[in-house]
Amino acid sequence: MAYIEEIIPDNLQAFDLLIPDILKRESLSRSGLHFYGISESDEAVGCIITEDSADAVQIRYLYIAPYLRGSGVMDQMLMLLFLELREKGFVKVVMDYIPGEYEMLTHMSSRFGFKESRMDLAYFRFKAEEVKKCAVASYDPKGIMRMKYLPEDKKERLFKMIGKSFSFYDFNLPARDDILPYSMAYLEDNQPRGALIVQSPGASIIPATEDIRSFLKPGSLDLTLFFVGTTTLKAPLYLLSGLCRIIQKEIDDNVIMTGYFPEGHVSRLLEGTLGVRGNHEVRAVLNLSTI
């Protein structure tokens, strides 16, 4: 018979191999993460990782042993967890995911009656070699400077603008050490007006998934493109061209690059120049009073 329990130091060893390292590291700096272990016949067979946010709980990660998939064990454990969360005073459970990529979450949404809405940001994932081959690889990157080489006063000004953009799109601004190695600034009249932000994996937003192998491989990068204070439509072309030059010299072809981009000019540009279709995440919300 399966049962669920919160993972604490006393039982961590049993579930340790089921928890992705990146979420273990993240838990050291984020107080809202909670880890739950699933056992069957006294064997650790799965885990559920959540994050508290005000009156809501977000599903961050799910895993169940392959031989138990489709058995209903995960559904049973989630129902027990949802009832416990309701008793603790939480109002809703939230999941953000791409329907075509995460079958377990699609099933959960239908099974428990989540209400879904499509998010406005397009999600892209591609190999670095695809950027090298794209149409803007030979484009002259006018007005582009590596962010790490910006004078300190311009760097401060740019980070303030980037911070506002990240806040608008409900992202947290990554630490500077995670941004500076590959990121670029776009300048107009010698002033920073836009940026191409390339984050290191430590700052990644990790989508919930039922399969540990779906996590980004070591050495992967997160690509996030923001435009701040510029209406120049060619700015993203210049920034992508600058990225191509960095990739050609410094990044391995097989590195996986991912990113969320506002739907519109930027996402259409990426689809046209990279030949990679953007996917839309779904935000699924379950009102706990309905279960």
Side-chain angles (χ1 to χ4, degrees), residues 186 188 227 230-236 238 265:
Y186 169 68
E188 290 178 350
F227 298 98
T230 179
T231 57
T232 304
L233 293 180
K234 287 188 176 180
Y238 300 146
H265 174 62

Side-chain angles (χ1 to χ4, degrees), residues 4-8 11-12 15-16 18-28 30-38 46-51 60-61 81:
I4 185 171
E5 59 185 320
E6 187 157 12
I7 298 174
I8 58 176
N11 61 6
L12 175 60
F15 298 99
D16 188 54
L18 305 183
I19 305 171
D21 288 340
I22 192 168
L23 288 177
K24 295 176 194 173
R25 293 195 299 270
E26 192 174 333
S27 68
L28 299 177
R30 299 173 75 98
S31 59
L33 283 172
H34 296 278
F35 296 72
Y36 300 90
I38 300 171
C47 64
I48 301 170
I49 299 175
T50 67
E51 184 171 10
R60 290 293 307 276
Y61 180 74
L81 178 60

Side-chain angles (χ1 to χ4, degrees), residues 119-138:
M119 300 174 71
D120 291 334
L121 297 177
Y123 173 74
F124 291 81
R125 181 172 57 223
F126 47 89
K127 285 188 176 182
E129 64 180 353
E130 295 178 67
V131 181
K132 291 184 181 181
K133 299 174 184 177
C134 78
V136 299
S138 59

Side-chain angles (χ1 to χ4, degrees), residues 14-219:
F15 298 99
D16 188 54
L17 293 178
L18 305 183
I19 305 171
D21 288 340
I22 192 168
L23 288 177
K24 295 176 194 173
R25 293 195 299 270
E26 192 174 333
S27 68
L28 299 177
S29 59
R30 299 173 75 98
S31 59
L33 283 172
H34 296 278
F35 296 72
Y36 300 90
I38 300 171
S39 298
E40 169 80 20
S41 302
D42 294 325
E43 177 187 359
V45 295
C47 64
I48 301 170
I49 299 175
T50 67
E51 184 171 10
D52 299 350
S53 176
D55 62 348
V57 173
Q58 183 176 22
I59 300 291
R60 290 293 307 276
Y61 180 74
L62 298 174
Y63 177 78
I64 192 74
Y67 73 91
L68 286 173
R69 293 175 188 174
S71 67
V73 168
M74 179 60 83
D75 283 357
Q76 294 169 23
M77 299 302 101
L78 284 167
M79 178 59 80
L80 291 174
L81 178 60
F82 292 165
L83 291 172
E84 179 182 330
L85 293 173
R86 188 178 68 181
E87 289 298 313
K88 290 181 177 180
F90 290 102
V91 174
K92 58 187 176 181
V93 174
V94 178
M95 302 187 299
D96 296 339
Y97 68 97
I98 299 170
E101 295 198 4
Y102 303 113
E103 292 183 7
M104 180 183 288
L105 300 187
T106 302
H107 166 78
M108 275 180 55
S109 181
S110 175
R111 165 80 172 78
F112 290 100
F114 281 75
K115 292 187 177 180
E116 297 184 349
S117 59
R118 198 181 84 155
M119 300 174 71
D120 291 334
L121 297 177
Y123 173 74
F124 291 81
R125 181 172 57 223
F126 47 89
K127 285 188 176 182
E129 64 180 353
E130 295 178 67
V131 181
K132 291 184 181 181
K133 299 174 184 177
C134 78
V136 299
S138 59
Y139 211 86
D140 183 16
K142 297 178 181 178
I144 302 302
M145 179 182 289
R146 293 283 285 270
M147 197 177 290
K148 63 183 180 181
Y149 298 134
L150 277 176
E152 198 60 33
D153 62 329
K154 290 184 172 60
K155 195 180 296 181
E156 289 297 327
R157 191 175 302 119
L158 182 59
F159 267 89
K160 287 180 181 178
M161 292 189 288
I162 293 170
K164 291 180 181 178
S165 290
F166 268 79
S167 176
F168 179 79
Y169 290 110
D170 199 25
F171 291 154
N172 294 318
L173 179 63
R176 292 195 183 194
D177 289 346
D178 295 322
I179 289 178
L180 291 177
Y182 302 111
S183 297
M184 288 165 292
Y186 169 68
L187 291 87
E188 290 178 350
D189 299 324
N190 204 33
Q191 295 300 320
R193 300 295 185 186
L196 173 67
I197 307 297
V198 183
Q199 298 175 229
S200 71
S204 298
I205 298 173
I206 302 299
T209 173
E210 69 272 19
D211 194 335
I212 290 176
R213 291 172 300 175
S214 296
F215 269 71
L216 301 177
K217 300 294 187 293

Side-chain angles (χ1 to χ4, degrees), residues 241-253:
S241 178
L243 177 65
C244 290
R245 294 174 187 231
I246 291 175
I247 289 175
Q248 288 169 353
K249 295 178 181 179
E250 303 177 32
I251 298 177
D252 185 85
D253 284 359

